[in-house]
Amino acid sequence: QELYRELFVRGAGHSVECWRGSQLVGGLYGVAIGAAFFGESMFSLERDASKVALAHLVARLRVGGFKLLDTQFLTDHLSQFGAQAVSRADYKRRLNAALEHQGDFYLLPAYEPGAAVLQAISQAS
């Protein structure tokens, strides 16, 4: 906990939280380096809360210019959002490219309305 607290203080640790009133009902956290985001953990106390957090994270990363979202594992939950396995060589290439840039985790306002989040993650041209 102390190490993650230090990452947050340094601006590398980030979380996306889902609240129902004053109760935390889901979310995720991870670490940003350059334009790469490394998802560490997600949880849900209410149905689909972690999915809402993930959708918001993807929008935030896209708007902020991130090049890589490392989810550690490929699960059915992540696959439904477009996550895919890549070879070690492809991962290294993508990671190196992401580290050459700087993402901005805060470019999307914290309380952006759902419509703006959906627009940020949609493939519409």
Side-chain angles (χ1 to χ4, degrees), residues 1 3-17 26-43 53-54 56-58 60-61 66 68-72 105-106:
Q1 287 176 335
L3 292 174
Y4 267 94
R5 189 171 300 120
E6 183 63 26
L7 287 169
F8 276 80
V9 167
R10 291 177 182 226
H14 302 283
S15 66
V16 175
E17 302 164 359
L28 54 83
Y29 68 93
V31 176
I33 302 173
F37 188 87
F38 304 89
E40 293 296 320
S41 187
M42 52 194 310
F43 79 98
L54 182 59
H56 187 90
L57 174 69
V58 169
R60 181 167 293 286
L61 297 180
F66 282 79
L68 176 70
L69 169 54
D70 182 338
T71 63
Q72 296 183 20
F105 193 82
Y106 298 105

Side-chain angles (χ1 to χ4, degrees), residues 36-122:
F37 188 87
F38 304 89
E40 293 296 320
S41 187
M42 52 194 310
F43 79 98
S44 189
L45 298 177
E46 289 194 15
R47 183 184 169 125
D48 297 331
S50 63
K51 292 176 184 174
V52 171
L54 182 59
H56 187 90
L57 174 69
V58 169
R60 181 167 293 286
L61 297 180
R62 283 191 174 171
V63 169
F66 282 79
K67 311 289 184 195
L68 176 70
L69 169 54
D70 182 338
T71 63
Q72 296 183 20
F73 304 101
L74 183 60
T75 65
D76 290 341
H77 176 76
L78 296 171
S79 297
Q80 69 183 333
F81 292 101
Q84 53 188 276
V86 296
S87 69
R88 180 180 298 266
D90 190 26
Y91 178 81
K92 286 181 179 180
R93 182 187 59 73
R94 291 176 187 221
L95 176 59
N96 287 332
L99 294 177
E100 292 177 1
H101 301 279
Q102 185 62 46
D104 183 348
F105 193 82
Y106 298 105
L107 204 54
L108 183 72
Y111 300 104
E112 192 67 40
V117 169
L118 289 175
Q119 182 176 353
I121 62 175
S122 72

